[in-house]
Amino acid sequence: PAVGDEVWGLTAVTDGVGLGLTFVSRVATRHGGSLSLCLPETDPLSSRPGPGATFRLTLPLPAPAPA
């Protein structure tokens, strides 16, 4: 599955249902942003086996208020 795809499952480690990234991805998209996985070949804050994954959440800056 791609980052943010709905994945159902239960794990003994987190007791979650696997919807956290889906939720974050949908909220980001609805606000004109994105959620992406940081990859070792392109990002110094990359995901590595063992400690977990690193994701980048980007959101656009709001438009300036009229003067």
Side-chain angles (χ1 to χ4, degrees), residues 22-47:
T22 299
F23 177 76
V24 171
S25 179
R26 287 182 182 175
V27 169
T29 300
R30 288 180 183 165
H31 289 277
S34 64
L35 178 70
S36 59
L37 178 64
C38 297
L39 300 173
E41 57 272 8
T42 60
D43 197 313
L45 299 174
S46 65
S47 301

Side-chain angles (χ1 to χ4, degrees), residues 31-33 58-64:
H31 289 277
T58 57
L59 296 170
L61 292 173

